[in-house]
């Protein structure tokens, strides 16, 4: 299963926050040490080729010193060394990292050196996507059965872990894949919308009636609660719980339920005028890891909850949106400028939807979302049953 991570250019499942975090400079030094070629020459070659992986491949081929400690590289050894890299801290870290990388490079064949270096710098360049892996599993273990592809995708969506899915799929048991479920506290990818230009076009695609909601100019926040533990994740699966202590408080206070996963948008506002601010004005709240108290006073956020993926022990992914939106509106105590359900109307009227869209723009938001009432929640997918209409300036 671990090989799946390497195929995706990683060493852990996607939800894992540990990153290799190696600079190009360190990689250049390691190539130099392993091949005996001076760094100046490596940098020159890199400028010409534009790919450190291919540079490593070239110089491994011309290795000046035939090293005595050459072994056959195994994926176990590669992962063992690479997984030590994020753990290293403190004095002498750079030299230890260098040692781990050089050990692999001196044992590597030229083509192995190429992909090893690309893995280290996070740029594998082989065009393998999740869909490639899904179809490969379906072909290898289920004779390309359409149903199997669907089940494999659902299992990947729920677990965010191609390694685990591979281990189950290789046994050829579809029923086992169905047992993979959402885990509260483990980040999940957000569902994404497709674009349309007009309300009319949106209604045509989704049918009537449909839900029309504000499209907020903030940042996506997936909120997990498991009894007393609350975690907040961004769209890119980064844990930002520590940056938003007040949001943790809002969730405890204004959302009923023992365990849940909510999909929301955090929107900044001016604390004096209560006017909504653009994402750019509050983006530093995600990035800053210090002065949290000062920042939360200067750049307050309101949490606008628009979907629920899991509630009190039960996944809601397969439930219709109209049911999910009812649940979330029932469990939230609407508290403006802290935590509220997203602004929403359910309508068949283009005129009403247009009016609502104008109101969203007046409130400094980006536009509106149109949602099919019968649709499921598809993590990580850009779906045709949720459409966004952004404000377009016509010059």
């Amino acid at each position: 299963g671990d090989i799946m991570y390497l195929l995706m250019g990683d060493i852990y499942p996607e939800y894992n926050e540990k990153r290799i975090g190696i600079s190009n400079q360190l990689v250049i030094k390691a190539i130099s040490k392993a091949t005996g070629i001076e760094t100046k020459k490596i940098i020159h070659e890199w400028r010409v080729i534009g790919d450190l992986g291919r540079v490593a491949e070239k110089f491994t081929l011309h290795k000046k010193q035939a090293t005595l400690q050459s072994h056959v590289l195994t994926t176990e050894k590669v992962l063992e060394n690479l997984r030590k890299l994020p753990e290293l801290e403190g004095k002498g870290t750079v030299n230890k990292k260098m040692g781990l990388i050089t050990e692999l490079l001196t044992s590597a064949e030229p083509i192995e050196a190429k992909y090893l270096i690309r893995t280290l710098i996070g740029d594998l360049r082989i065009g393998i996507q999740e869909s490639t892996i899904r179809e490969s599993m379906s072909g290898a273990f289920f004779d390309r059965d359409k149903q199997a592809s669907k089940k494999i995708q659902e299992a990947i969506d729920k677990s965010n872990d191609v390694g685990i899915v591979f281990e189950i799929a290789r046994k050829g048991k579809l029923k086992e894949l169905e047992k993979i479920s959402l885990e509260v506290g483990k980040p999940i990818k957000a569902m994404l919308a497709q674009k349309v230009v007009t309300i009319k076009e949106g209604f045509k695609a989704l049918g009537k009636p449909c839900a029309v909601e504000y499209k907020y100019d903030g940042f996506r926040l997936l909120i997990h609660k498991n009894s007393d533990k609350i975690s907040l994740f961004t769209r890119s699966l980064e844990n930002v719980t520590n940056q938003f202590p007040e949001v943790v408080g809002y969730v405890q206070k204004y959302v009923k339920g023992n365990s849940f996963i909510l999909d929301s948008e955090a929107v900044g506002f001016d604390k004096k005028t209560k006017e909504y601010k653009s994402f750019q004005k509050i983006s530093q709240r995600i990035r800053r890891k210090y002065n949290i108290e000062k920042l939360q006073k200067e750049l307050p956020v309101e949490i606008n909850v628009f979907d629920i993926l899991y509630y009190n022990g039960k996944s809601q992914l397969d439930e219709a949106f109209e049911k999910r939106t009812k649940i979330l509106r029932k469990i939230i105590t609407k508290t403006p400028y802290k935590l509220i359900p997203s602004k929403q109307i359910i309508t068949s009227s283009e005129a009403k939807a247009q009016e609502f869209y104008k109101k969203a723009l007046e409130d400094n938001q980006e536009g509106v979302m149109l949602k099919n009432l019968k649709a499921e929640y598809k993590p990580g997918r850009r779906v045709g049953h949720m459409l966004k209409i952004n404000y377009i300036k016509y010059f």
Side-chain angles (χ1 to χ4, degrees):
D2 282 356
I3 293 169
M4 294 294 120
Y5 309 135
L6 286 172
L7 276 174
M8 300 290 282
D10 220 324
I11 54 170
Y12 288 112
E14 209 173 343
Y15 64 82
N16 192 307
E17 284 191 69
K18 288 178 187 164
R19 290 290 168 263
I20 298 175
I22 295 294
S23 68
N24 289 336
Q25 272 59 40
L26 191 61
V27 163
I28 289 163
K29 282 180 186 160
I31 296 171
S32 170
K33 197 172 175 196
T35 59
I37 306 283
E38 55 187 76
T39 54
K40 247 181 17 202
K41 199 168 176 190
I42 292 166
I43 291 166
H44 174 264
E45 202 62 32
W46 179 31
R47 287 197 180 123
V48 174
I49 298 176
D51 174 1
L52 274 173
R54 281 176 56 205
V55 173
E57 181 180 31
K58 180 176 177 175
F59 288 132
T60 305
L61 205 56
H62 304 299
K63 205 180 277 187
K64 278 191 178 170
Q65 59 209 82
T67 54
L68 296 172
Q69 69 263 49
S70 183
H71 309 285
V72 173
L73 266 191
T74 62
T75 49
E76 284 84 1
K77 178 63 184 164
V78 169
L79 281 164
E80 181 194 325
N81 278 27
L82 296 188
R83 282 176 175 171
K84 282 177 186 168
L85 295 171
E87 308 296 339
L88 292 170
E89 278 172 1
K91 212 175 165 200
T93 297
V94 172
N95 286 338
K96 284 178 193 159
K97 286 184 175 181
M98 183 90 122
L100 289 166
I101 297 167
T102 310
E103 185 191 2
L104 295 175
L105 282 174
T106 47
S107 304
E109 293 294 322
I111 194 155
E112 292 172 332
K114 172 161 89 173
Y115 290 111
L116 192 57
I117 294 300
R118 285 180 177 181
T119 300
L120 281 165
I121 57 176
D123 184 12
L124 206 50
R125 299 186 181 203
I126 56 173
I128 283 194
Q129 294 172 321
E130 205 177 76
S131 55
T132 323
I133 291 200
R134 177 195 70 217
E135 291 310 314
S136 303
M137 284 194 225
S138 168
F141 310 126
F142 301 103
D143 206 19
R144 298 211 181 284
D145 176 21
K146 275 258 166 57
Q147 202 51 30
S149 285
K150 186 171 177 278
K151 296 283 179 221
I152 291 166
Q153 186 63 56
E154 283 169 2
I156 293 171
D157 291 344
K158 286 174 189 168
S159 65
N160 241 337
D161 190 336
V162 287
I164 278 183
V165 174
F166 172 80
E167 289 300 344
I168 295 171
R170 71 193 289 196
K171 293 172 186 157
K173 291 179 180 166
L174 270 186
K175 278 273 174 275
E176 290 299 307
L177 280 177
E178 286 170 24
K179 288 181 189 165
I180 288 182
S181 59
L182 286 180
E183 276 178 55
V184 182
K186 183 170 154 184
I188 181 170
K189 287 183 198 156
M191 179 165 74
L192 305 171
Q194 291 182 11
K195 259 187 201 159
V196 285
V197 178
T198 63
I199 302 270
K200 192 182 181 73
E201 200 184 329
F203 272 126
K204 193 179 170 192
L206 300 183
K208 295 176 179 180
C210 64
V212 188
E213 299 182 349
Y214 273 25
K215 182 181 186 317
Y216 293 97
D217 187 6
F219 54 88
R220 201 81 174 255
L221 215 49
L222 283 114
I223 300 166
H224 293 239
K225 182 187 179 195
N226 198 356
S227 59
D228 292 333
K229 189 173 171 15
I230 290 167
S231 314
L232 310 173
F233 298 99
T234 64
R235 184 175 138 174
S236 56
L237 312 184
E238 186 189 348
N239 189 328
V240 290
T241 314
N242 294 339
Q243 285 97 303
F244 296 94
E246 80 278 32
V247 174
V248 171
Y250 299 161
V251 174
Q252 276 164 338
K253 210 167 169 183
Y254 305 122
V255 191
K256 287 199 295 275
N258 187 48
S259 64
F260 49 74
I261 302 174
L262 305 175
D263 197 352
S264 73
E265 189 97 357
V267 185
F269 62 91
D270 186 294
K271 59 175 189 231
K272 286 199 184 93
T273 66
K274 296 290 191 271
E275 249 191 35
Y276 287 119
K277 289 181 170 183
S278 71
F279 166 67
Q280 274 70 24
K281 300 259 172 34
I282 55 156
S283 60
Q284 56 178 302
R285 282 217 55 186
I286 304 175
R287 293 194 298 270
R288 279 278 179 87
K289 305 280 197 307
Y290 51 89
N291 283 348
I292 305 284
E293 251 175 65
K294 183 170 175 273
L295 268 183
Q296 81 184 58
K297 285 195 186 93
E298 286 172 10
L299 302 169
V301 294
E302 175 186 72
I303 304 303
N304 294 268
V305 182
F306 52 78
D307 218 327
I308 184 162
L309 288 63
Y310 185 95
Y311 189 63
N312 283 355
K314 188 175 181 299
S315 166
Q316 301 297 319
L317 294 181
D318 298 334
E319 300 293 347
F321 176 68
E322 60 187 338
K323 184 181 172 192
R324 299 198 308 272
T325 195
K326 272 179 192 154
I327 294 171
L328 78 84
R329 280 155 213 282
K330 210 189 303 182
I331 64 172
I332 289 173
T333 305
K334 188 177 175 181
T335 315
Y337 304 106
K338 288 183 179 175
L339 188 145
I340 61 170
S342 61
K343 295 191 172 69
Q344 180 198 70
I345 57 168
I346 290 171
T347 183
S348 299
S349 157
E350 282 177 35
K352 277 186 183 156
Q354 197 64 45
E355 200 50 48
F356 190 76
Y357 169 72
K358 270 169 63 183
K359 178 84 177 77
L361 298 181
E362 280 162 19
D363 277 343
N364 288 341
Q365 298 313 323
E366 289 185 333
V368 290
M369 307 290 296
L370 270 62
K371 298 180 180 182
N372 181 309
L373 295 173
K374 304 294 176 209
E376 303 168 342
Y377 192 103
K378 302 275 188 197
R381 239 82 65 68
R382 197 170 285 286
V383 294
H385 56 66
M386 180 167 85
L387 303 172
K388 57 184 174 185
I389 301 174
N390 287 359
Y391 173 57
I392 300 170
K393 258 189 181 155
Y394 292 104
F395 294 101

